[in-house]
């Protein structure tokens, strides 16, 4: 029996996590596996009930689990608290406590949602199904920061620093993910100007040499940003450092056109991971039964695939989501002419019915 630490969070978090759990339970019944859920607190609700955004019990419960399924945290009620007391501090805290160094963001355009893609049809005629593997704990976001004033001139710097170890483990993760997909990895850096990128390239090549079964390529980050809108079908797995990954993953997400459909995972060196939708807590629509549960449901399928080794069940859930969309059902955020708009609960029931 796999142990799942569940953090529903704030806003629409509880609604979309409940949907995902219903879908997981249906898949468990169909594919004969068992999940044991441990419900814990984080974010605004944790501040209200315990005084802190990330109670120790939550970290302990997460560490004692095989994976964490998270909704989203945050909301206006807690916006005026100091930075380290805000709901989002819980997110950063749990990522750090669990050593989650690899952020996995798939960008897949489901065929029935092709109209949501801002690119021309001819550009996406071969589909769009890629994964961005972003290093999450190094680079300029975590390197030494300094602001100095000298001779009346104020200047600031952020050190973009990477060790061979940090590069090697994230590139290995990308190769591992590619081995379960179309077997192609593109390493993205800026080796023509950055020293840290030159080390990145050197280490990435060593990892590539160990995986001759995976096709390996390299691309400069500026070219990658362009290729993502020019010919996104060429990519399978893109691996890159923290800052480049932050930007490229949002660009790739926009290509699918629908925030309510985007899942993510953050992994550590074991098969452990934290799985959450890309969207936030959407307080504007909380409690109205109109939130799109698909991003969280698809995050749960990533959990089945990456942490629990249940790829068959993951495939079945993804196919069920696509089938419901193909039947013309949409939540309000992805509604288009001629489609039937349904609420969170109905969408969940429809997907369950297709598993
Ligand atoms: P958001 O993603 O919550 O919402 C942006 C817009 O998208 C809103 O109009 C919302 O209604 C809509 N939306 C988002 N998810 C949807 C879904 N599943 N179905 C239908 N519509 C959906 O971003 P925001 O409004 O900038 O942030 C709201 C709160 O969420 C803030 O407190 C922010 O700090 C927090 N946040 C949390 C996370 C996280 O927990 N990982 C991520 C981003 C934002």
């Amino acid at each position: 029996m796999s142990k799942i630490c569940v953090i529903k969070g704030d806003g629409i978090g509880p609604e979309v996590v409940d949907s995902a759990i219903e879908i997981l339970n249906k898949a468990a019944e169909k594919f004969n596996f068992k999940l044991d859920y441990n419900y814990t607190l984080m974010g605004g609700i944790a501040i209200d009930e315990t005084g802190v955004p990330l109670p120790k019990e939550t970290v302990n419960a997460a560490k004692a689990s095989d994976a964490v399924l998270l909704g989203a945290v945050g909301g206006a009620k807690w916006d005026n608290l100091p930075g380290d007391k805000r709901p989002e501090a819980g997110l950063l805290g749990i990522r750090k406590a669990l050593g989650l160094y690899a952020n996995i963001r798939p960008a897949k355009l489901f065929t029935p949602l092709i109209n949501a893609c801002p690119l021309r049809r001819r550009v996406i005629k071969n589909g769009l199904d890629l994964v961005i593997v972003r290093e999450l704990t190094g680079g300029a976001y975590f390197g030494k920061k300094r602001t100095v004033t000298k001779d009346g001139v104020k200047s600031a710097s952020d050190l973009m620093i990477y060790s061979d170890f940090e590069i090697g483990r994230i590139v290995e993760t990308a190769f591992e993910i590619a081995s379960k997909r179309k077997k192609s990895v593109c390493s993205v850096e800026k080796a023509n100007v950055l020293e840290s990128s030159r080390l990145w390239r050197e280490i990435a090549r060593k990892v590539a040499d160990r995986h001759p079964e995976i096709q390996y390529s390299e691309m400069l980050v500026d070219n990658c940003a362009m290729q993502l809108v020019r010919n996104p079908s060429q990519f399978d797995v893109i691996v890159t450092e923290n800052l480049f990954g932050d930007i490229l993953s949002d660009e790739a997400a926009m290509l699918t056109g629908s925030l309510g459909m985007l899942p993510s995972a953050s992994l550590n060196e074991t098969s452990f991971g934290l799985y959450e939708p890309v969207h936030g807590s959407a307080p504007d629509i909380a409690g109205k039964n109109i939130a799109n549960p698909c991003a969280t449901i698809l995050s749960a399928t990533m959990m089945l695939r990456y942490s629990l080794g249940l790829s068959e069940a993951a495939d079945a859930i993804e196919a069920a989501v696509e089938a419901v969309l193909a039947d013309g059902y949409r939540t309000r955020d992805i509604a288009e002419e001629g489609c039937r708009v349904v609420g969170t609960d109905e969408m969940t029931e429809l997907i369950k019915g297709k598993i």
Side-chain angles (χ1 to χ4, degrees):
M1 168 138 30
S2 302
K3 283 191 191 157
I4 313 300
C5 172
V6 180
I7 305 174
K8 294 186 179 183
D10 309 312
I12 59 169
E15 297 165 60
V16 292
V17 169
D18 284 346
S19 291
I21 287 178
E22 278 197 47
I23 299 296
L24 283 171
N25 288 342
K26 178 71 199 280
E29 196 186 297
K30 172 105 197 238
F31 292 92
N32 205 20
F33 60 87
K34 284 204 166 72
L35 300 176
D36 175 29
Y37 305 105
N38 184 2
Y39 293 87
T40 57
L41 297 177
M42 193 177 90
I45 186 170
I47 296 171
D48 288 352
E49 294 195 12
T50 71
V52 291
L54 179 62
K56 269 202 192 84
E57 298 74 47
T58 300
V59 175
N60 292 340
K63 285 184 174 167
S65 307
D66 297 298
V68 179
L69 181 64
L70 167 65
V73 297
K77 184 178 173 189
W78 306 282
D79 272 356
N80 294 324
L81 293 170
D84 61 338
K85 304 271 184 318
R86 286 172 54 122
E88 292 78 3
L91 264 182
L92 297 181
I94 198 162
R95 285 177 186 152
K96 194 166 170 210
L98 300 173
L100 304 173
Y101 68 88
N103 185 234
I104 320 294
R105 292 252 305 248
K108 176 173 170 163
L109 182 62
F110 288 95
T111 313
L113 296 183
I114 200 156
N115 292 331
C117 177
L119 301 180
R120 290 209 181 101
R121 283 283 173 104
R122 70 177 163 75
V123 176
I124 44 162
K125 66 177 188 302
N126 295 323
L128 193 171
D129 180 6
L130 58 90
V131 173
I132 299 200
V133 177
R134 167 188 168 195
E135 204 289 327
L136 207 53
T137 56
Y141 292 3
F142 290 89
K144 195 168 177 195
K145 294 171 190 308
R146 249 161 66 102
T147 302
V148 289
T149 304
K150 205 177 164 203
D151 301 331
V153 178
K154 193 171 184 183
S155 55
S157 62
D158 303 273
L159 182 66
M160 186 187 263
I161 181 164
Y162 270 107
S163 70
D164 51 2
F165 163 74
E166 288 172 302
I167 300 168
R169 70 177 178 180
I170 188 77
V171 178
E172 276 290 355
T173 301
F175 274 80
E176 163 92 30
I177 288 170
S179 72
K180 294 178 189 149
R181 293 177 41 96
K182 291 175 271 172
K183 300 192 168 31
S184 161
V185 170
C186 180
S187 169
V188 171
E189 20 71 353
K190 188 74 181 162
N192 52 345
V193 272
L194 296 177
E195 197 64 15
S196 57
S197 282
R198 283 192 269 275
L199 179 64
W200 183 283
R201 189 174 274 199
E202 181 190 322
I203 303 299
R205 285 181 183 179
K206 283 187 184 154
V207 176
D209 286 345
R210 291 200 288 272
H211 298 276
E213 73 289 0
I214 308 274
Q215 192 196 337
Y216 172 73
S217 60
E218 293 160 351
M219 197 177 275
L220 296 177
V221 63
D222 41 345
N223 186 24
C224 183
M226 187 178 75
Q227 294 297 332
L228 275 172
V229 288
R230 189 171 170 264
N231 177 18
S233 320
Q234 70 185 288
F235 296 111
D236 176 22
V237 176
I238 291 173
V239 60
T240 192
E241 64 91 43
N242 204 346
L243 167 63
F244 299 160
D246 193 2
I247 299 166
L248 294 178
S249 59
D250 271 12
E251 184 189 358
M254 252 329 283
L255 300 181
T256 68
S258 28
L259 192 56
M261 298 296 302
L262 293 167
S264 82
S266 301
L267 310 176
N268 71 13
E269 273 149 331
T270 66
S271 58
F272 183 88
L274 180 144
Y275 299 85
E276 59 179 322
V278 166
H279 62 72
S281 59
D284 52 327
I285 58 165
K288 296 184 179 164
N289 190 32
I290 54 175
N292 186 346
C294 291
T296 312
I297 291 169
L298 295 170
S299 302
T301 69
M302 292 182 82
M303 177 177 86
L304 294 177
R305 184 167 283 125
Y306 295 128
S307 286
L308 309 183
L310 295 164
S311 295
E312 207 190 343
D315 289 346
I317 297 173
E318 277 170 19
V321 170
E322 181 139 19
V324 170
L325 296 173
D327 284 350
Y329 294 100
R330 302 280 188 277
T331 43
R332 210 182 60 163
D333 56 311
I334 51 171
E336 52 186 319
E337 234 184 286
C339 286
R340 187 152 157 229
V341 176
V342 294
T344 315
D345 291 346
E346 198 179 344
M347 192 57 156
T348 309
E349 281 306 312
L350 287 163
I351 296 168
K352 256 166 81 178
K354 293 279 186 191
I355 295 172

